[in-house]
Amino acid sequence: VDKKGYTPLMWGAYGGNLDAVKALLEKGADLQVKDKDGYKALDHARDGKYKDRIEPIVEFLIDRQKFIDEGSDKAGVVSSEPQAESVAEESREEFPLCVGAYPEKDFDIELFEAIKENEDKKINEQLEKGMENCLDDDGRTLLIYASVLGNIELVKHLIDNGAQVNIESKKKRTALMLAAYGGHEEVVNELLKHGARPKINDQNYRG
């Protein structure tokens, strides 16, 4: 496999989203994990998309790494190379395609547009039909869309209605990765609270 393998922490660092990075680290995300090219979260922060956010997040990660290193030295710990989890718990192959796949359930791309427009009635109509974990043509779930947009109320509503938090898109991206990249701290925390896995990597390219 020649794809890259970014973790949610790397996504958050690259997006310059300090609060999301802090939340992920508090839940056990590992600064030492490397992507397929050997780069860590700190390297992604230095290569950040938003130049005005680079300095504070790089300083924070350097300080965090120093703290970890000092703790390891005092304890005499020699750690093995950390590894990201490469496969999400819920594989997308377990779930049906939404768009155009089940016309008898009257599901189409309009639902995903409804998420963008916050049309609660239409969203609820589809949830009543048991479509909370179905996928669009790119393997994205309703929860992934809601997380990308930072729609915390919808994220909570979807989870309460059975949406699974670790489903991957075709690009191996989860709701947590994209919420971290977007800097949606409240969404990141909500997903982590419900079992989103911070060590999953996307095995893919940014963008």
Side-chain angles (χ1 to χ4, degrees):
V1 179
D2 63 353
K3 296 181 179 180
K4 290 201 171 181
Y6 301 123
T7 64
L9 183 62
M10 293 171 188
W11 276 94
Y14 177 69
N17 297 306
L18 185 55
D19 290 336
V21 165
K22 289 178 178 178
L24 289 163
L25 288 170
E26 286 173 4
K27 292 294 183 179
D30 195 338
L31 274 174
Q32 302 297 89
V33 171
K34 297 178 181 179
D35 65 19
K36 298 292 184 180
D37 292 326
Y39 296 113
K40 300 179 183 180
L42 178 57
D43 300 307
H44 289 275
R46 287 174 170 145
D47 188 39
K49 183 174 182 179
Y50 303 103
K51 302 308 176 187
D52 59 326
R53 302 181 188 177
I54 290 176
E55 186 175 349
I57 198 165
V58 166
E59 288 180 354
F60 171 79
L61 291 176
I62 288 173
D63 287 344
R64 181 72 175 235
Q65 188 61 61
K66 285 180 180 176
F67 176 78
I68 293 170
D69 292 343
E70 288 171 1
S72 297
D73 290 343
K74 288 176 182 177
V77 175
V78 178
S79 60
S80 58
E81 186 72 17
Q83 299 293 326
E85 299 172 13
S86 60
V87 180
E89 186 174 317
E90 298 90 9
S91 170
R92 69 179 183 278
E93 283 77 13
E94 297 175 17
F95 303 101
L97 280 174
C98 300
V99 181
Y102 290 89
E104 70 275 14
K105 291 192 175 183
D106 194 28
F107 186 93
D108 56 38
I109 196 62
E110 290 181 10
L111 179 54
F112 292 95
E113 293 300 322
I115 291 174
K116 293 179 184 178
E117 300 300 324
N118 242 356
E119 296 177 20
D120 292 340
K121 182 178 178 181
K122 184 156 192 175
I123 293 166
N124 286 329
E125 286 174 353
Q126 298 297 340
L127 289 176
E128 288 171 2
K129 297 176 182 178
M131 303 300 281
E132 66 278 353
N133 285 315
C134 63
L135 316 172
D136 74 357
D137 290 330
D138 290 321
R140 294 169 296 208
T141 64
L142 306 182
L143 185 61
I144 287 175
Y145 272 87
S147 299
V148 167
L149 295 168
N151 189 333
I152 184 60
E153 294 305 320
L154 182 54
V155 166
K156 290 178 179 179
H157 187 52
L158 289 167
I159 292 173
D160 288 345
N161 280 273
Q164 298 190 40
V165 297
N166 289 316
I167 297 174
E168 298 173 332
S169 70
K170 287 182 179 179
K171 292 184 177 181
K172 300 289 185 183
R173 294 172 184 166
T174 64
L176 180 61
M177 291 174 186
L178 299 178
Y181 175 69
H184 305 304
E185 181 190 3
E186 197 172 2
V187 173
V188 167
N189 283 321
E190 187 69 17
L191 293 169
L192 289 168
K193 183 171 76 174
H194 289 279
R197 295 163 67 185
K199 295 183 181 180
I200 290 173
N201 65 358
D202 67 355
Q203 301 181 357
N204 214 310
Y205 291 94
R206 281 188 302 239

